Amino acid sequence: MMVREHYSLREWNTFGTEAKARWFAEFSRHSELAGFLREHPGMYRQILVVGGGSNLLFTADYPGLVLHPAMKGMTVEREDGEHAWVRAGAGEVWDDFVSYAVNAGWGGVENLSLIPGCVGAVPVQNIGAYGREAGEVIDSVRGVDLVTGEIWELSGAECWFGYRSSIFKQELAGRFVVTSVVFRLDKHPRLQLTYGELVSLAGYDRLPSLAEVRETVIAVRRKKLPDPAVLGNAGSFFKNPVVEEEWAARMKGLWPQMPLYPAVEGHAKLSAGWLIDQCGWKGFRRGDAGVHEHHALVLVNHGHATGREIFDLSQEIRFSVKEKFGIDLEREVQAVGRMD
Ligand SMILES: Cc1cc2nc3c(=O)[nH]c(=O)nc-3n(C[C@H](O)[C@H](O)[C@H](O)COP(=O)(O)OP(=O)(O)OC[C@H]3O[C@@H](n4cnc5c(N)ncnc54)[C@H](O)[C@@H]3O)c2cc1C
């Protein structure tokens, strides 16, 4: 494993902010990493795994090793009349995998088209969009335990998937690097068309194809979300808060326009974007750090903002939402570095 020193992470985060990793390495074989961990016991305490950096904000240089799993490949492990089980390497671009599945006519991930990042981060984040979450189709996850160097295979159930959450962000945070994922795809796709612009597809006298669903999702995302290659961002900066139904009803009484979405039993999901917008942040800019002009949930780097400036802005937003609505916004983006 070739380890570089004082390596710029600007290309490794979609905010496009500058930060340096003390060490940086890519690996594409388990044995490379296992060998490295044997030679550097204790190093696991200072390892940050990075895929495409589309959910990270560096507020300072990283003092340890930034590790990128570069495993490629998509292979059918087995199939029957109903499903195909496909293993994808952690280093594959997620949207390439979605394209592969849709071209094969296999359903389950089409609503997750065009989400940036690599396959390895997908179970970590339990990515979701348009009423679908990746956890629904993840059969198993293989990876390396950074403490022992052993290879583990976890079933989908063992991953404890929740809203933008998994065991990899909890018990195994900082300890496990995903190297490949097996997805269980449907040969007879059951489309999920109840969200947003996909509803209009359900109105046809025939069901849309997987390709049509994918094209619609891509078109909507291109229209709504800034392309990180043009304007630095990491998608939704905060999670949508989930509150008890009773509380949500009281809030709705005070703010009748407040959107509410279904959540787990007895709870409702609020729109973090709406809350932020009500506090007047949409389109706000200070220096090069700002809030997107059409999407209050997306913080942006207009060019030369530092991670710290974006982070400080996010804290101001949190405080103002707390003050107005009494709600603590939780970051979806992972801030790495100093946060005091
Ligand atoms: C424009 C835009 C739109 C987005 N839209 C959505 C959306 O609709 N839905 C959604 O869910 N997300 C969305 N995101 C967020 C982001 O794309 C996802 O969270 C994505 O899964 C991150 O992948 P990544 O490879 O870039 O991960 P990174 O940002 O590199 O890492 C994210 C986290 O996962 C960990 N990680 C990454 N790879 C591994 C691995 N192999 N093993 C262990 N840990 C790992 C990292 O340590 C970090 O904690 C969006 C982002 C952008 C920029």
Side-chain angles (χ1 to χ4, degrees):
M1 208 165 80
M2 192 173 87
V3 180
R4 298 164 217 241
E5 279 197 78
H6 305 294
Y7 188 78
S8 171
L9 298 170
R10 191 188 282 276
E11 300 293 319
W12 290 89
N13 75 98
T14 57
F15 269 116
T17 58
E18 180 54 39
K20 288 207 161 44
R22 178 71 180 84
W23 299 285
F24 178 92
E26 295 182 50
F27 74 104
S28 42
R29 285 195 311 272
H30 288 116
S31 56
E32 282 179 277
L33 179 60
F36 176 86
L37 292 170
R38 261 196 312 276
E39 284 162 28
H40 302 85
M43 182 55 130
Y44 70 89
R45 290 193 197 90
Q46 299 179 62
I47 291 181
L48 173 72
V49 185
V50 170
S54 62
N55 204 51
L56 291 173
L57 176 68
F58 292 102
T59 62
D61 289 345
Y62 188 72
L65 172 71
V66 170
L67 189 64
H68 174 69
M71 277 85 172
K72 294 283 186 194
M74 302 181 223
T75 45
V76 177
E77 292 240 306
R78 64 193 164 101
E79 52 186 314
D80 61 19
E82 298 295 316
H83 297 110
W85 285 262
V86 183
R87 183 179 293 280
E92 287 287 352
V93 171
W94 167 249
D95 195 54
D96 290 350
F97 176 74
V98 178
S99 167
Y100 162 93
V102 167
N103 286 337
W106 297 333
V109 291
E110 59 284 353
N111 290 26
L112 307 178
S113 292
L114 212 63
I115 295 180
C118 296
V119 164
V122 166
V124 179
Q125 306 288 101
N126 186 20
I127 59 168
Y130 298 100
R132 273 275 158 93
E133 282 188 345
E136 295 162 30
V137 291
I138 291 178
D139 183 71
S140 62
V141 175
R142 184 179 290 170
V144 177
D145 177 347
L146 289 172
V147 180
T148 63
E150 284 167 18
I151 297 173
W152 290 3
E153 187 107 22
L154 275 74
S155 69
E158 287 170 325
C159 293
W160 300 355
F161 291 120
Y163 170 50
R164 301 296 176 276
S165 162
S166 67
I167 193 169
F168 311 109
K169 283 184 146 183
Q170 298 167 38
E171 260 70 358
L172 295 181
R175 172 161 188 169
F176 191 81
V177 47
V178 175
T179 53
S180 68
V181 182
V182 176
F183 297 91
R184 190 191 57 258
L185 301 172
D186 281 328
K187 289 190 168 176
H188 308 288
R190 282 157 299 166
L191 303 178
Q192 162 61 273
L193 302 173
T194 55
Y195 274 73
E197 288 77 352
L198 296 188
V199 172
S200 61
L201 287 178
Y204 291 166
D205 49 6
R206 60 168 181 86
L207 272 180
S209 65
L210 290 174
E212 283 167 331
V213 175
R214 174 168 162 76
E215 278 158 25
T216 305
V217 170
I218 289 176
V220 173
R221 292 185 71 96
R222 287 217 168 108
K223 208 165 88 190
K224 276 196 174 166
L225 289 167
D227 177 355
V230 179
L231 184 63
N233 76 92
S236 304
F237 197 90
F238 299 102
K239 292 183 182 183
N240 287 321
V242 175
V243 299
E244 284 179 9
E245 245 167 21
E246 221 176 278
W247 217 75
R250 239 181 300 140
M251 306 259 313
K252 189 85 179 163
L254 289 171
W255 290 279
Q257 312 296 329
M258 176 182 278
L260 292 182
Y261 302 100
V264 285
E265 219 193 311
H267 293 76
K269 198 186 271 182
L270 310 182
S271 159
W274 187 87
L275 298 170
I276 297 168
D277 194 10
Q278 295 306 301
C279 295
W281 288 105
K282 199 189 270 178
F284 177 87
R285 178 170 178 171
R286 182 186 297 130
D288 274 351
V291 179
H292 192 256
E293 54 181 337
H294 302 308
H295 217 308
L297 196 49
V298 178
L299 270 60
V300 296
N301 175 8
H302 287 284
H304 299 285
T306 63
R308 186 71 222 190
E309 286 165 345
I310 295 169
F311 180 81
D312 288 346
L313 174 59
S314 79
Q315 289 297 79
E316 280 185 58
I317 292 172
R318 287 182 71 198
F319 291 139
S320 69
V321 168
K322 174 82 179 169
E323 206 171 68
K324 189 169 173 117
F325 297 101
I327 288 173
D328 280 312
L329 287 182
E330 196 187 326
R331 271 189 299 276
E332 183 171 328
V333 169
Q334 187 188 338
V336 181
R338 287 191 54 184
M339 275 164 263
D340 50 2

